[in-house]
Amino acid sequence: YTQQSEYDPDIASFARASLARGEGRWKAAKQDYETLLQRHPDFTRGRLDYARLLFDGRLNREATSEFMRLQNEDLPEAVKENIAHFQDALNQRQSWKGSLSIGAVHNSNINEASGKTWCKTEIDGECWEEFSGDQPISANGIKYEAAAVRRWQIKGHHGIAARALGYGRFYRDHKDFNEHTLNLSAGYQFENHRHTFALAPIIEWNGSGGKTLNRAYGVRSEWNLDKGSWTWNTEAEWKHLSYSDKTRLLDGSLFSVYNTLPYFPRNDLMLYGGIDWQQRKAKEPVDSYRLISARLGAAKMFEAGFDASASATFGIRSHREENAVLEQRRRVHGNTDWLYSYKQNEVGLSLVKSF
């Protein structure tokens, strides 16, 4: 079109902006739309596309302003309805979002016991020195999880994000194994059409058996890349844990990195995989360890209004030093299996409410 001798530069500018938007070149599209609208502020179709571009780029305040301006235009009813949908989505983006899950659960081994024995000293076929692990305890209970997040746009793509996360479980007749966790964080967040980055301090409280198990403080960062049919997420977290008086030797740091790759072959199906790494340091070296694990899973949404998921995790954990009493270094499914190895099965059913 631009090779013609009498082409309209404004039409060419609008076409370039539309092509850039379709190809994912967000900055180029924004510049072309703004140049065009400076010359023709009443070009309704261009302003509609510009508002949609701002929405895709997570410039929520700017997109809201453009859509409100278009409300006064004489537009077809279908276009007005489409604008209303975008305004509703913008209001939801700038409000608290979260979920609440609660349900019943049965666990075959809440105390993570091996149920095994180990003979350290054997003479003439008779065990003279024997160690025994605890016996597994099965229990029924209730598990819950609640989460709430909100983002406040400060300027452009920069803002502040807050997150609250709480989860735990109650076991019938076994309150000593009840578990509760509360994690709070608030800090900086950058967000555009492809990338999200967050950096925030965190505080955490963990309770068990009706008592405080530990408190923690630290910092977390998160990066997310959105490529449409697939995304990449990396989350890193460092925190220092302080335990109660009887378990002070567990005081120390925990550094974790979680990497997840979700893939969406269809709108109702998600496949994902991940590789995680954790480094735990404690006052007592025997309790320090490194954990490397891999995750695989799938989730399916059904038209009836529910979803189902399946996942598997494989991990290798190695401890820093051997136990002075047992004269062995702890490994998962290793040579100290009578004390540390265990089997655990859990089944549950939960109801989830998103808001």
Side-chain angles (χ1 to χ4, degrees), residues 11 27 68 81 117 123 268 327 334:
I11 293 179
K27 289 184 178 180
M68 290 182 66
E81 290 179 1
T117 59
I123 302 176
D268 62 346
E327 298 178 353

Side-chain angles (χ1 to χ4, degrees), residues 165-184:
L165 176 65
Y167 57 91
R169 52 189 63 204
F170 300 87
Y171 289 111
R172 182 181 179 184
D173 300 327
H174 296 286
K175 64 179 182 179
D176 289 343
F177 295 96
N178 292 348
E179 301 173 349
H180 309 284
T181 297
L182 177 62
N183 183 292
L184 304 174

Side-chain angles (χ1 to χ4, degrees), residues 3 22 35 66 112 119 165 195 209 225 251 257 282-283:
Q3 299 304 312
T35 300
E66 291 296 328
E112 299 179 353
C119 182
L165 176 65
H195 300 273
L225 172 64
D251 285 4
V257 179
K283 286 185 177 180

Side-chain angles (χ1 to χ4, degrees), residues 273-290:
I275 298 177
D276 306 327
W277 180 86
Q278 286 188 331
Q279 180 72 53
R280 175 76 164 95
K281 293 184 178 180
K283 286 185 177 180
E284 185 63 46
V286 71
D287 293 315
S288 299
Y289 63 83
R290 178 184 294 112

Side-chain angles (χ1 to χ4, degrees), residues 48-123:
L48 280 167
D49 288 356
Y50 179 57
R52 169 68 184 271
L53 182 78
L54 296 175
F55 176 87
D56 293 340
R58 302 285 176 164
L59 294 179
N60 302 325
R61 186 184 298 118
E62 293 83 348
T64 299
S65 177
E66 291 296 328
F67 282 122
M68 290 182 66
R69 179 174 179 174
L70 286 163
Q71 280 183 327
N72 300 322
E73 300 287 337
D74 185 15
L75 299 172
E77 195 63 32
V79 177
K80 290 184 178 180
E81 290 179 1
N82 198 27
I83 291 175
H85 290 319
F86 277 107
Q87 290 176 319
D88 289 341
L90 285 165
N91 290 333
Q92 291 178 11
R93 274 187 185 177
Q94 300 175 91
S95 303
W96 283 101
K97 296 187 295 292
S99 63
L100 175 63
S101 170
I102 188 167
V105 63
H106 172 77
N107 192 303
S108 66
N109 189 355
I110 60 174
N111 57 332
E112 299 179 353
S114 68
K116 299 179 180 179
T117 59
W118 174 56
C119 182
K120 182 178 181 181
T121 305
E122 183 177 338
I123 302 176

